[in-house]
Amino acid sequence: MGKDGSGSKKRKKEENSNAATGVSSPSSRRQKTSSSSFGQQLSTSSRLQDTTTSSKSRNSSDVVGVLYQEYCELPFTLNTLLVEECNFVTRKGFDSPHGYDCEPARRPARSVHDLPAKVTVKQVLQHYQRKRGGGGTGGDNGGSNSSVDKETDHSEGKNYEEKQKQVKKFCTGLALLFDDVLPVCLLYPEERPQYESLQLDEDLKLKRPSEIYGSTFLLRLLVRLPRLLVAEPRSEMDVMGPMVADLIVLLQKNKQACFGKDVYREPRWEELFPWEQALRQQQKKRNTTDEEDDVNNDRSMSSPCTGSSSSMAISRTP
């Protein structure tokens, strides 16, 4: 008992002296090291959870983007339409200060779409909604009045209504997305002046872009759709993806009706870049000077030659 009491007194004295001098005892060191190691484990586990969740979200978004890419893949014939359109819209002339990519005889150097289009994006989506709004509700069952037939008719009617709602939601959502995205990422720089001029047109400024632009611009949207919808949930993609692929099939089957009426024209004055307007003014000045020179040459050729006739008369006199 005496030894234990003296030992406890010594430990207390050591702890008091350590506290006064700032030196920690071995027991307190063990507690601190255990608490610090536990905190490190918690921090590392939280970091791992954050990295795993971020990697999972990134992987899920990548998977959704890849799946949308599969649904939005265009066939070769529709891709060629986009390539040809790019050539018409973005080519430069022989007198361009930025380099030319077409022969001098081709005028105009570039073209623009004749808007409003004869077949607009809204008309295409309305046609798709009529065609793919759903099949029949079961039809005639041969006059049978059994409860099983009634249940099947009821379930088919529900499926028909649900499909109609999905197709209508898809068409309206795609039209709204087209209206919002068109001025952001669906126009070439050469088409920007035309878009700004349409905003000032009294007849067209109250219309939506889906009521003005044609089917080729819908193809541009379908090409960029995987990047635009990468943040959408997987459930939306499962519903929307097959309808996107079905819409591409409909455009492919009705290629002549949807894209055969696209008309290109020469840009108007307000649809030109400033350097294009300067070039056009220079060309007008050249044309006027050439016309004046031609008129002067014609007048000189048609005037009577008085000097030559007098010399001929003098030579004839004896």
Side-chain angles (χ1 to χ4, degrees):
M1 291 293 290
K3 292 180 179 179
D4 295 335
S6 63
S8 62
K9 288 179 181 179
K10 287 181 180 179
R11 282 194 297 271
K12 287 181 180 179
K13 288 180 180 179
E14 289 177 358
E15 289 177 357
N16 293 328
S17 64
N18 291 332
T21 57
V23 180
S24 61
S25 62
S27 61
S28 62
R29 288 174 186 170
R30 293 192 200 97
Q31 291 178 358
K32 288 181 180 179
T33 53
S34 62
S35 62
S36 63
S37 63
F38 182 69
Q40 290 178 358
Q41 289 177 0
L42 285 177
S43 62
T44 52
S45 63
S46 62
R47 288 175 185 173
L48 287 173
Q49 287 178 358
D50 294 338
T51 54
T52 52
T53 52
S54 62
S55 62
K56 283 182 180 179
S57 61
R58 198 180 301 113
N59 291 331
S60 62
S61 63
D62 293 340
V63 169
V64 172
V66 170
L67 290 175
Y68 266 123
Q69 188 69 37
E70 293 178 357
Y71 285 123
C72 301
E73 187 175 358
L74 297 181
F76 176 77
T77 53
L78 298 183
N79 271 323
T80 54
L81 290 175
L82 291 178
V83 174
E84 292 174 357
E85 183 209 27
C86 180
N87 183 28
F88 280 117
V89 173
T90 63
R91 69 189 181 192
K92 300 178 179 63
F94 184 75
D95 298 327
S96 171
H98 305 288
Y100 62 92
D101 53 8
C102 68
E103 52 269 18
R106 293 180 69 176
R107 301 288 187 204
R110 66 177 180 89
S111 303
V112 294
H113 287 271
D114 191 9
L115 300 177
K118 295 183 179 180
V119 181
T120 61
V121 174
K122 184 178 180 180
Q123 292 174 349
V124 173
L125 294 176
Q126 287 176 348
H127 178 72
Y128 177 79
Q129 186 176 349
R130 288 193 300 268
K131 290 290 184 180
R132 303 294 193 265
T137 59
D140 188 11
N141 293 321
S144 61
N145 295 322
S146 63
S147 60
V148 177
D149 294 334
K150 290 180 180 179
E151 288 178 359
T152 54
D153 291 340
H154 184 65
S155 62
E156 288 179 357
K158 280 187 175 181
N159 293 331
Y160 173 72
E161 292 177 358
E162 185 178 359
K163 187 175 182 181
Q164 273 190 330
K165 290 179 180 178
Q166 289 178 354
V167 173
K168 185 178 180 180
K169 181 181 177 182
F170 167 73
C171 293
T172 54
L174 198 62
L176 291 174
L177 181 64
F178 181 84
D179 295 335
D180 294 337
V181 169
L182 176 81
V184 179
C185 62
L186 295 185
L187 294 176
Y188 290 106
E190 289 81 3
E191 294 173 327
R192 183 68 56 181
Q194 185 186 24
Y195 175 79
E196 293 174 356
S197 66
L198 290 176
Q199 302 301 313
L200 302 176
D201 194 338
E202 295 294 333
D203 297 331
L204 300 176
K205 68 179 182 180
L206 297 178
K207 290 186 177 182
R208 294 180 174 273
S210 58
E211 299 174 350
I212 300 174
Y213 287 85
S215 306
T216 313
F217 294 88
L218 182 59
L219 290 182
R220 298 185 193 180
L221 175 64
L222 294 176
V223 170
R224 290 165 175 80
L225 204 58
R227 296 181 182 178
L228 297 174
L229 301 179
V230 70
E232 293 294 326
R234 179 69 178 271
S235 58
E236 291 289 333
M237 189 272 297
D238 293 336
V239 177
M240 189 176 178
M243 285 191 282
V244 171
D246 195 20
L247 177 61
I248 294 174
V249 172
L250 184 137
L251 291 172
Q252 171 70 13
K253 289 182 178 179
N254 299 276
K255 177 186 171 184
Q256 188 62 31
C258 294
F259 306 100
K261 297 180 180 179
D262 284 351
V263 179
Y264 298 93
R265 60 171 174 79
E266 186 176 357
R268 301 188 182 98
W269 177 261
E270 63 273 9
E271 298 170 351
L272 295 173
F273 288 119
W275 63 267
E276 290 177 327
Q277 293 177 354
L279 282 176
R280 184 167 289 188
Q281 287 178 348
Q282 291 177 4
Q283 289 174 358
K284 285 183 179 179
K285 289 181 180 178
R286 291 173 187 171
N287 292 332
T288 53
T289 53
D290 292 340
E291 289 177 358
E292 290 176 357
D293 293 339
D294 293 337
V295 170
N296 293 329
N297 292 329
D298 293 337
R299 287 177 180 176
S300 62
M301 293 294 290
S302 60
S303 60
C305 300
T306 55
S308 61
S309 61
S310 61
S311 62
M312 288 177 65
I314 293 170
S315 62
R316 287 176 182 174
T317 55

